[in-house]
Amino acid sequence: MPHLFLNLLTFFIFIFFFVLPATAQSYNQYGTNCPSYMWGDVNISYPFWKISSSENNTQFCGYQGLGINCTDNGQRNISLIAFGNDSYYVQRINNDYRSIVLADYDFSSVAPGPNDCPRARHNISLGTLPLQFHVTMVNLSFHFNCDGSPSFATAIPCLGRNGGNAYVNVVNVTTEDDWDVHSCAEKVVTTVYPEPIFMSNLSLNYGRLLQG
Ligand SMILES: *[C@@H]1O[C@H](CO)[C@@H](O)[C@H](O)[C@H]1NC(C)=O
Ligand SMILES: *[C@@H]1O[C@H](CO)[C@@H](O)[C@H](O)[C@H]1NC(C)=O
Ligand SMILES: *[C@@H]1O[C@H](CO)[C@@H](O)[C@H](O)[C@H]1NC(C)=O
Ligand SMILES: *[C@@H]1O[C@H](CO)[C@@H](O)[C@H](O)[C@H]1NC(C)=O
Ligand SMILES: *[C@@H]1O[C@H](CO)[C@@H](O)[C@H](O)[C@H]1NC(C)=O
Ligand SMILES: *[C@@H]1O[C@H](CO)[C@@H](O)[C@H](O)[C@H]1NC(C)=O
Ligand SMILES: *[C@@H]1O[C@H](CO)[C@@H](O)[C@H](O)[C@H]1NC(C)=O
Ligand SMILES: *[C@@H]1O[C@H](CO)[C@@H](O)[C@H](O)[C@H]1NC(C)=O
Ligand SMILES: *[C@@H]1O[C@H](CO)[C@@H](O)[C@H](O)[C@H]1NC(C)=O
């Protein structure tokens, strides 16, 4: 069982391409003149920019919404980016591939002890940010405290310890509506990178991991 959740945890990683709108082309010159900044392993450079703690951040060399908050938790340098109301931990920015890899910063354990049973708490809301999910990503849908579930959903027992229940499934737009006949207290959809072991046989791996 813990195996599944450790794996799920590492799966809560989002890979985005950053897409510069056509209007940005004329700013290329401007962009290349922006300073870049290393914080930990993260190379913050245009269109990303470092949020300053001492200034008002009304002027920045980069895109609105792509400011990165550099903090130090006492042990290491942490880079955070906020979309909507949620913060994500920036794992890396690869300027050559124009990709940014983020991890959900907001997992908290339902069961006490190590966080081997993460609960997805929020949908990812990109709003108008010039980011796109990497094409290889899949969406996972989580349902909590339902009066039943479609057969393709897989129960997550560790999340149901407090008397409710929880299910996960890979979103298929054709069948996701099957949830409509069931009443659930909450639904969260999150986008994840399907590691190859999952890609090769999703049903096998979810099933095996669930059985522990
Ligand atoms: C930040 O903005 C506030 C309110 O607009 C202003 O009073 C203050 O002087 C600004 N500080 C700096 C460092 O620009
Ligand atoms: C940056 O993140 C730290 C830690 O979460 C927070 O205390 C701080 O207010 C943030 N700063 C800005 C400018 O968002
Ligand atoms: C954080 O990053 C700064 C600038 O790159 C560096 O000087 C400092 O040593 C780093 N701190 C830690 C704890 O890694
Ligand atoms: C952010 O939180 C506020 C207050 O809870 C809410 O009204 C708003 O809809 C949230 N925004 C997003 C993008 O989730
Ligand atoms: C950070 O990225 C910028 C833009 O690609 C590049 O010019 C710079 O050399 C990089 N810095 C480091 C330390 O890799
Ligand atoms: C996953 O959800 C996002 C946001 O709703 C959407 O843009 C994307 O196309 C979905 N991906 C798949 C593979 O369904
Ligand atoms: C989605 O569900 C439909 C109906 O069960 C199925 O035919 C289709 O192959 C599924 N698509 C994916 C990508 O699994
Ligand atoms: C997440 O998005 C779905 C629609 O895709 C919505 O039904 C659900 O209420 C949202 N969940 C949260 C926690 O905002
Ligand atoms: C995938 O998993 C199913 C269910 O355990 C199994 O029957 C099937 O042989 C597996 N397929 C591959 C290619 O391993």
Side-chain angles (χ1 to χ4, degrees), residues 38-40 75-77:
M38 285 301 292
W39 186 247
Q75 285 165 333
R76 61 191 194 118
N77 285 330

Side-chain angles (χ1 to χ4, degrees), residues 59-122:
Q59 288 192 317
F60 45 82
C61 203
Y63 272 64
Q64 179 99 43
L66 295 185
I68 291 180
N69 178 357
C70 300
T71 64
D72 179 347
N73 71 355
Q75 285 165 333
R76 61 191 194 118
N77 285 330
I78 292 178
S79 301
L80 299 173
I81 190 166
F83 304 154
N85 294 333
D86 303 307
S87 279
Y88 298 87
Y89 166 55
V90 181
Q91 293 208 309
R92 40 180 196 282
I93 295 175
N94 188 325
N95 291 299
D96 294 338
Y97 296 105
R98 290 154 81 100
S99 68
I100 180 169
V101 180
L102 307 177
D104 196 325
Y105 196 68
D106 193 32
F107 281 119
S108 66
S109 179
V110 172
N115 190 1
D116 59 358
C117 189
R119 186 196 196 287
R121 298 200 174 276
H122 54 81

Side-chain angles (χ1 to χ4, degrees), residues 55-210:
E55 291 160 30
N56 275 342
N57 294 302
T58 47
Q59 288 192 317
F60 45 82
C61 203
Y63 272 64
Q64 179 99 43
L66 295 185
I68 291 180
N69 178 357
C70 300
T71 64
D72 179 347
N73 71 355
Q75 285 165 333
R76 61 191 194 118
N77 285 330
I78 292 178
S79 301
L80 299 173
I81 190 166
F83 304 154
N85 294 333
D86 303 307
S87 279
Y88 298 87
Y89 166 55
V90 181
Q91 293 208 309
R92 40 180 196 282
I93 295 175
N94 188 325
N95 291 299
D96 294 338
Y97 296 105
R98 290 154 81 100
S99 68
I100 180 169
V101 180
L102 307 177
D104 196 325
Y105 196 68
D106 193 32
F107 281 119
S108 66
S109 179
V110 172
N115 190 1
D116 59 358
C117 189
R119 186 196 196 287
R121 298 200 174 276
H122 54 81
N123 294 330
I124 303 175
S125 168
L126 283 178
T128 57
L129 289 177
L131 298 175
Q132 279 178 358
F133 286 111
H134 194 288
V135 289
T136 58
M137 307 288 276
V138 301
N139 290 331
L140 293 185
S141 121
F142 291 86
H143 288 80
F144 300 97
N145 297 343
C146 305
D147 64 5
S149 69
S151 57
F152 56 77
T154 308
I156 308 175
C158 86
L159 285 173
R161 274 182 201 160
N162 53 5
N165 53 38
Y167 300 92
V168 62
N169 63 274
V170 175
V171 173
N172 173 338
V173 287
T174 321
T175 52
E176 193 65 10
D177 287 348
D178 293 1
W179 275 106
D180 291 352
V181 299
H182 300 288
S183 165
C184 299
E186 195 184 1
K187 170 185 182 178
V188 174
V189 179
T190 194
T191 305
V192 298
Y193 180 69
E195 288 197 355
I197 182 173
F198 271 60
M199 281 300 269
S200 66
N201 196 335
L202 278 174
S203 70
L204 173 67
N205 288 304
Y206 274 106
R208 189 191 65 200
L209 292 169
L210 276 173

Side-chain angles (χ1 to χ4, degrees), residues 36 38 43 45 95:
S36 65
M38 285 301 292
N43 180 348
S45 47
N95 291 299

